[in-house]
Amino acid sequence: MLANEEVIDGRSERGGYPVLRMPLRQWMFRITAYAERLLSDLDLVDWPDSTRTMQAEWIGRSEGAEIDFEVPGFGILRVFTTRPDTLFGATYMVVAPEHPLVKAAIEGGGAGAAAVRDYAAASANRSDVDRQADTKQKTGVDTGLRAVNPATGEAIPVWTADYVLMGYGTGAIMAVPAHDERDFEFARAFGLPVRQVVEIAGVAFDGTAATSGHGVACNSGGPGLSIEGLDTTRAKVAVIEWLMKTGRGARRVNYKLRDWLFSRQRYWGEPFPIVYDESGRHYPVSERALPVLLPELADYKPIESDVPVPPLGKATAWVSTTAGEAGVDPAILPPGTPVRRETNTMPGWAGSCWYYLRYCDPANGSRMLSNEAERYWLQSQRKDGGMHAGGVDLYVGGAEHAVLHLLYARFWHKVLFDLGHVGTPEPFGKLFHQGMLTAYAYQREDGSLVAVDQVEERHGAHHERGGGPVTQVIAKMSKSLRNVINPDDVIAEYGADTFRLYEMSMGPLEASKPWNTRDIAGVHRFLQRVWRLAVDERTGGLLLARQADPAVERLLHRTVHKVTGDIDRLAFNTAIASMIELVNAATRPQEMKDPADGGLTHEQLERFVRLLAPFAPHAAEELWAKLGGSGFVVHAPWPIADPAMLVDDEVEIAVQVMGKVRARIMVPTKADAAQVESIALGHPDVLPHLAGKSPRKVIVVPGRMVNLVL
RNA sequence: GCCGGUGUGGCGGAACUGGCAGACGCGACGGAUUCAAAAUCCGUUUCCCCCUAAAGGAGUGCAGGUUCGAUUCCUGUCACCGGCACCA
């Protein structure tokens, strides 16, 4: 059994075997029952807009109506439409090739029955992927059946075409070619009538293209109903009211979201706690007997047979058992009843949908997690004082999980919430997507890529070994380009602290960034500088400043402030930059004879090491121990910056004349606008640009700049 | 096609609310130290003009706009990345 993406041109991707479609009985989750809540509760979480939008589009809510059309020779054909107001423009119908009406048409044996049968058979053998691939050319056949348009009373043809999908709505549509691009293309391809029923302001209808959008109904009067002249919103309401009154339809909301297929035909997965009796009825395994464990199998390769059998089918003794042995409640089924176990297994989602809950209470033998553990780990206040709607405070994960894992986990969490097992409606309060690390690769002039080990650098330019010049480009890491980085190698050469620090310093956490091995030296040198700042490399003893340098002390407070704020906003790269600045400023010059004349004091080092700990934990703990700190530095309180140390007595500000910087002046921090203005106006570098005139306007931004407008 | 994101030195990036563009790192160049090299330390490093410096000019994908002032806001446009793609 294959997944859709493993089928290429109707054959298996591996081996090229022919692929057969076959309906199977499988376990599904009714996630569609939660569609509305999964959509509306997106308002409760602090997630990236792009991800919330993707989920909303995936759920795909649309409002409209269900309309019943009478089809003599078949019965009632029900369609879903978002534009009930265009009912008068429905000049034909289309059903999906899998629709029951198609079978009825074939069995009816009309003139075109053979063509209908061939078309339906051809569609069945094409995968959905293929059917959606060629959207340019519409195909279809007339079923020969006729439907009655309830608004006009006209008999209109019913076609079948694969542009209508069985899996959405009712698998049938009323086609309004004048106002739907897809229907228009189909009508044009098969010469079906087009009738305008909406006038859109500023968009003329000339019969060469569909016009869609909000407008006013026209050509929309019939024996029982007229919506002539109503705007689209009112026309929809009027049609729906008429449909309800006459028993022909109703308001209806539809979702693109489908139910969730949860069966897999693999060995490695949780078995379903389900058994079947001899007549094929299914029964649950009782809670007491859970979990159902996988039986040991010497060989879990697939089974060859005409009817698909999952690998668990090989465990014959396990599969064929009794109700009592399998753990079915005797009240449901007598213990001696022979039963067969379900042989499908669950997909990986069965674990990924709730692991974050179990992590909070992993040793609990009686419950998934206790209320106390949930309260401690998963129920917290947001910064604005409100409660997080979702348990996990901050969930960092790739954007590739935007619609699958993150939607499925929300669904499970809501089910658990409804059953009273968790106290929040959402699993993840704040979501952050980290970027993907990419790598450099090289490109020939024709655009083809070259593996990195085939490229050498000459005079600052890159050349293919034995070939022409190549340009450096950014690509995904891949085996074929030989630009994959193995963390173990980097750690072996530079250590885990350097590796961690490098990844944190590369750039914004959310951005995709290229790995550049050459740059690792920079953060490695920083760690070495930190070490030498505190430790005499020859003796291993501490190197401490006799007394704190006031400028360094100020900078340390600034660094504490900066790093604290940067960690809050996950800007680790700039936090590291500020620590580098501090260490550079505190580093003793080479010519300094007595180490006690420079560097940091014992107390200053203690503060700095606490800042460093989250970034380079091993080095920080080592330094902490050398400094004689108690316990581990990770448990030490976070340093606090003194706000008074964050402001200087004087600041340098720029003086602009007509928006161009002409001078930089030092002014007292507390100086008012008038003082700053007079200092600026008297500056020798400014005077020539004023050309003797006095400024028409002076803008002073305290602590930042002055702009003189002539 | 539709939706979203990103474009800043040779390279990775910084500039948090419209206020000094290029923090920090890499690389490169120059110097100190060394018998020498590695390591280390110091300095220079957006581009143009210029022997150099001073001074000047240009500059955040491109073209406009708003503003005293735009990497930041608005309009248009190009490129790249991601998602969706007959959902009636």
Side-chain angles (χ1 to χ4, degrees):
Chain A
M1 274 170 260
L2 303 169
N4 274 343
E5 59 271 22
E6 293 169 326
V7 181
I8 309 289
D9 295 331
R11 291 180 172 266
S12 67
E13 183 188 17
R14 283 177 180 240
Y17 300 105
V19 173
L20 203 70
R21 298 180 136 218
M22 188 182 287
L24 294 172
R25 283 190 85 108
Q26 309 264 270
W27 291 101
M28 313 278 290
F29 278 148
R30 205 149 88 200
I31 192 172
T32 50
Y34 281 74
E36 193 61 47
R37 282 164 67 194
L38 287 168
L39 181 65
S40 58
D41 285 1
L42 285 171
D43 292 340
L44 303 179
V45 291
D46 179 9
W47 283 23
D49 286 342
S50 59
T51 303
R52 294 196 308 181
T53 303
M54 277 163 70
Q55 289 216 348
E57 286 174 359
W58 190 263
I59 294 165
R61 182 184 200 276
S62 54
E63 282 182 26
E66 238 166 32
I67 306 179
D68 289 343
F69 287 69
E70 258 176 68
V71 180
F74 171 68
I76 298 294
L77 178 59
R78 179 169 287 183
V79 302
F80 172 74
T81 178
T82 55
R83 292 297 299 267
D85 60 300
T86 61
L87 183 55
F88 288 90
T91 53
Y92 64 100
M93 315 284 290
V94 186
V95 300
E98 300 87 350
H99 196 280
L101 182 143
V102 173
K103 206 174 160 218
I106 295 168
E107 284 165 2
V116 175
R117 191 190 55 225
D118 291 348
Y119 185 77
S123 297
N125 285 329
R126 297 174 77 199
S127 69
D128 291 346
V129 177
D130 286 344
R131 274 164 67 165
Q132 290 174 14
D134 50 6
T135 58
K136 284 132 220 133
Q137 198 134 36
K138 294 268 187 289
T139 61
V141 290
D142 189 344
T143 63
L145 294 169
R146 294 293 174 266
V148 180
N149 182 325
T152 62
E154 285 173 323
I156 56 177
V158 182
W159 286 60
T160 182
D162 64 7
Y163 85 90
V164 171
L165 309 173
M166 193 60 215
Y168 181 77
T170 62
I173 62 156
M174 63 176 209
V176 184
H179 305 295
D180 183 285
E181 210 175 301
R182 299 155 299 184
D183 296 344
F184 183 86
E185 276 176 35
F186 191 80
R188 190 155 58 177
F190 294 102
L192 292 157
V194 178
R195 183 188 304 153
Q196 182 190 14
V197 291
V198 182
E199 271 172 356
I200 299 164
V203 187
F205 182 86
D206 59 7
T208 61
T211 60
S212 60
H214 201 274
V216 175
C218 63
N219 303 324
S220 296
L225 167 73
S226 175
I227 54 169
E228 191 72 17
L230 292 184
D231 72 72
T232 298
T233 310
R234 286 183 203 180
K236 283 181 182 176
V237 172
V239 171
I240 290 170
E241 277 174 2
W242 177 76
L243 289 169
M244 287 173 72
K245 206 167 60 196
T246 58
R248 289 188 169 102
R251 206 184 94 84
R252 162 94 197 184
V253 174
N254 244 322
Y255 301 91
K256 281 193 223 173
L257 186 68
R258 308 289 161 86
D259 279 326
W260 178 13
L261 174 69
F262 210 66
S263 292
R264 297 293 183 275
Q265 296 73 42
R266 295 194 281 254
Y267 174 75
W268 293 111
E270 296 83 346
F272 287 90
I274 300 285
V275 299
Y276 300 88
D277 66 14
E278 283 172 326
S279 58
R281 280 188 292 255
H282 61 268
Y283 303 89
V285 171
S286 73
E287 248 180 71
R288 282 192 319 279
L290 297 181
V292 177
L293 298 175
L294 277 175
E296 301 256 349
L297 267 188
D299 167 28
Y300 39 80
K301 285 207 279 286
I303 298 169
E304 279 187 42
S305 75
D306 290 338
V307 185
V309 181
L312 276 187
K314 287 185 176 176
T316 47
W318 180 81
V319 171
S320 299
T321 181
T322 61
E325 196 66 31
V328 178
D329 188 334
I332 299 177
L333 210 58
T337 316
V339 295
R340 293 181 60 79
R341 292 183 196 262
E342 169 66 62
T343 52
N344 286 296
T345 53
M346 301 187 199
W349 311 112
S352 65
C353 279
W354 67 290
Y355 77 95
Y356 62 94
L357 296 172
R358 185 59 177 173
Y359 276 18
C360 298
D361 203 1
N364 192 327
S366 60
R367 300 196 51 192
M368 173 177 69
L369 87 163
S370 68
N371 292 335
E372 297 72 49
E374 194 198 357
R375 253 197 306 282
Y376 180 79
W377 290 107
L378 297 176
Q379 295 187 1
S380 60
Q381 289 200 323
R382 293 191 308 250
K383 273 195 178 159
D384 63 14
M387 289 296 287
H388 268 299
V392 176
D393 294 302
L394 171 64
Y395 194 37
V396 179
E400 68 273 20
H401 296 123
V403 283
L404 296 179
H405 166 57
L406 288 167
L407 189 69
Y408 294 156
R410 290 181 63 216
F411 166 59
W412 277 50
H413 196 90
K414 285 185 184 306
V415 171
L416 292 170
F417 175 73
D418 289 351
L419 293 172
H421 294 301
V422 296
T424 61
E426 285 288 326
F428 313 119
K430 183 177 168 68
L431 173 69
F432 190 94
H433 294 311
Q434 85 280 15
M436 185 178 51
L437 289 189
T438 52
Y440 290 116
Y442 298 89
Q443 199 169 35
R444 297 187 191 94
E445 277 166 5
D446 64 6
S448 58
L449 293 171
V450 186
V452 289
D453 56 359
Q454 294 305 307
V455 172
E456 50 198 11
E457 198 171 343
R458 274 181 255 143
H459 317 296
H462 301 281
H463 294 267
E464 184 177 1
R465 202 155 293 175
V470 290
T471 50
Q472 198 178 51
V473 293
I474 289 168
K476 279 187 188 174
M477 290 189 186
S478 73
K479 280 183 191 166
S480 63
L481 293 175
R482 285 185 281 281
N483 56 3
V484 175
I485 301 298
N486 176 1
D488 291 345
D489 299 340
V490 180
I491 290 167
E493 190 170 355
Y494 293 99
D497 278 348
T498 296
F499 181 74
R500 179 185 173 94
L501 205 55
Y502 172 61
E503 289 204 326
M504 292 172 107
S505 72
M506 292 171 80
L509 187 57
E510 67 274 20
S512 159
K513 304 157 290 248
W515 180 276
N516 190 0
T517 301
R518 203 168 65 177
D519 290 344
I520 297 171
V523 285
H524 190 63
R525 282 202 275 257
F526 163 65
L527 282 182
Q528 289 176 319
R529 266 177 179 242
V530 169
W531 189 259
R532 286 195 304 266
L533 182 63
V535 179
D536 185 324
E537 288 189 290
R538 283 162 300 187
T539 67
L542 287 172
L543 289 178
L544 301 171
R546 195 175 296 113
Q547 59 186 46
D549 178 293
V552 170
E553 176 63 15
R554 248 167 206 287
L555 187 56
L556 179 53
H557 278 274
R558 262 161 222 263
T559 308
V560 170
H561 179 73
K562 174 81 175 146
V563 171
T564 305
D566 283 354
I567 288 175
D568 262 355
R569 58 188 189 102
L570 308 176
F572 306 125
N573 53 330
T574 50
I576 291 166
S578 74
M579 287 191 286
I580 293 174
E581 280 184 84
L582 172 73
V583 170
N584 287 349
T587 295
R588 300 172 183 84
Q590 201 166 36
E591 60 273 19
M592 187 177 280
K593 296 286 188 297
D594 181 358
D597 288 343
L600 296 175
T601 65
H602 189 278
E603 184 277 329
Q604 285 178 321
L605 276 173
E606 280 195 339
R607 269 183 286 157
F608 174 72
V609 167
R610 283 183 275 164
L611 276 192
L612 182 67
F615 299 89
H618 303 89
E621 292 292 356
E622 193 72 28
L623 287 167
W624 185 253
K626 275 195 182 291
L627 289 164
S630 63
F632 288 102
V633 68
V634 279
H635 297 132
W638 191 249
I640 293 166
D642 176 2
M645 297 292 269
L646 303 178
V647 285
D648 291 317
D649 297 339
E650 278 200 314
V651 281
E652 188 192 66
I653 68 169
V655 182
Q656 298 179 346
V657 179
M658 296 302 286
K660 283 189 188 299
V661 179
R662 299 300 183 182
R664 291 171 209 282
I665 56 174
M666 293 301 293
V667 297
T669 307
K670 295 189 190 72
D672 61 25
Q675 281 175 278
V676 174
E677 185 180 334
S678 71
I679 297 169
L681 284 171
H683 195 278
D685 288 346
V686 172
L687 289 171
H689 294 283
L690 294 177
K693 289 180 279 188
S694 63
R696 193 158 52 81
K697 195 173 171 188
V698 178
I699 292 133
V700 178
V701 182
R704 299 242 184 224
M705 43 69 67
V706 183
N707 192 10
L708 307 174
V709 185
L710 295 179

